[in-house]
Amino acid sequence: MAGRSSAASPGGASVDGVMRRLRRAIARMEDPAVEKIAEEQKGDPFQVLIATMLSAQTKDAVTFAASQRLFARAATPAAMLRLAAREIEELIYPASFYRNKARHVLEACRQLLDRFGGRVPTTMEELLTLPGVGRKTANLVLIVAHSSADNICVDTHVHRIANRLGWVRTRTPEQTEEALYAVAPRRWWSSVNLYLVSWGQNVCRPVYPLCDACEVGRLCPRIGVTRVGRAAGGSQGIRS
């Protein structure tokens, strides 16, 4: 993992306070794609793994639809290996890097059968040996499929929002993951990704975040935010 970075910055928002508010706020929002797949498939680790692999740099709606198409044809590693790479490409298109992902899916299925008896590994070390699996994917699989309370999954939303809130001062998602273990109470570790991804997709957007409509706006120092959006078609503004 990357070297240790600065943790909470002076004036940063309370992790506990933010997470308590977001827990209530996201109850009215749709779950992210991987969590929706997990709920539909009763937490099937294989389908959680593949859906998470497909989700990289891909919008949630595309990930969810691609996963549904793929699993309708092949819901197990053995069934997936009966498909040609071209078939998988067609099923998961227009997911980003769909050709590479199709190859990774096939090779991961082959390794699951050859090395793990068809089961999805339950450790970070083993998951990282699978093609197309990095720390983000491995952490999310451990949390969603294996109910781990010992992992924090950091994607671009979590990295962005954790820095905006002043929880961390980091340059990469890997640094953010390490820093969050130091500043976030353990009870929130497995929820950080779900809460912040949901919030990042709907409110704390990369560009023109809806700060005036934010449930945690009073707690947030808005670090790095220069332009804010307006909810319900309002005008955009510049923060002084």
Side-chain angles (χ1 to χ4, degrees):
M1 189 183 291
R4 187 167 296 279
S5 302
S6 298
S9 61
S14 158
V15 175
D16 198 63
V18 168
M19 293 295 284
R20 288 179 184 277
R21 286 164 175 79
L22 291 185
R23 179 172 55 189
R24 296 191 296 269
I26 70 166
R28 60 181 181 270
M29 298 177 177
E30 278 193 31
D31 283 343
V34 172
E35 282 81 0
K36 286 172 66 177
I37 291 290
E39 183 176 356
E40 286 193 357
Q41 304 304 324
K42 299 180 180 176
D44 177 1
F46 173 68
Q47 295 191 29
V48 170
L49 169 64
I50 300 303
T52 307
M53 292 171 66
L54 298 184
S55 72
Q57 299 183 54
T58 300
K59 291 184 180 297
D60 258 29
V62 174
T63 297
F64 186 69
S67 299
Q68 286 191 311
R69 290 192 300 270
L70 183 60
F71 298 146
R73 291 284 299 279
T76 66
M80 197 72 72
L81 286 174
R82 291 195 286 270
L83 300 180
R86 182 61 180 271
E87 292 177 271
I88 296 176
E89 290 174 11
E90 292 174 351
L91 288 166
I92 66 175
Y93 181 84
S96 301
F97 309 109
Y98 64 95
R99 291 191 178 93
N100 286 338
K101 288 177 180 177
R103 289 195 294 272
H104 287 158
V105 165
L106 281 174
E107 182 56 30
C109 290
R110 189 170 291 110
Q111 292 193 28
L112 288 177
L113 289 171
D114 291 347
R115 298 169 53 213
F116 301 107
R119 296 181 179 179
V120 174
T122 59
T123 69
M124 172 67 71
E125 293 73 20
E126 290 177 324
L127 282 166
L128 289 177
T129 66
L130 296 173
V133 175
R135 288 196 64 86
K136 180 205 127 179
T137 295
N139 275 316
L140 195 58
V141 170
L142 291 171
I143 292 166
V144 175
H146 295 312
S147 302
S148 172
D150 299 324
N151 297 79
I152 298 175
C153 176
V154 175
D155 71 347
T156 56
H157 290 292
V158 175
H159 174 60
R160 177 181 74 254
I161 297 173
N163 275 277
R164 275 184 181 170
L165 287 164
W167 290 354
V168 301
R169 289 178 294 181
T170 55
R171 291 182 294 178
T172 69
E174 291 78 13
Q175 292 174 348
T176 297
E177 181 192 341
E178 184 177 7
L180 283 174
Y181 287 121
V183 300
R186 180 179 287 268
R187 65 181 173 275
W188 297 116
W189 287 5
S190 62
S191 302
V192 164
N193 187 263
L194 173 61
Y195 289 14
L196 267 60
V197 169
S198 297
W199 206 241
Q201 290 174 343
N202 292 278
V203 179
C204 195
R205 300 169 180 171
V207 180
Y208 296 123
L210 305 179
C211 295
D212 292 341
C214 183
E215 299 278 349
V216 298
R218 292 182 179 179
L219 301 177
C220 182
R222 304 186 190 183
I223 294 171
V225 175
T226 57
R227 295 174 180 268
V228 300
R230 291 288 182 266
S235 60
Q236 293 163 335
I238 299 177
R239 185 172 183 260
S240 58

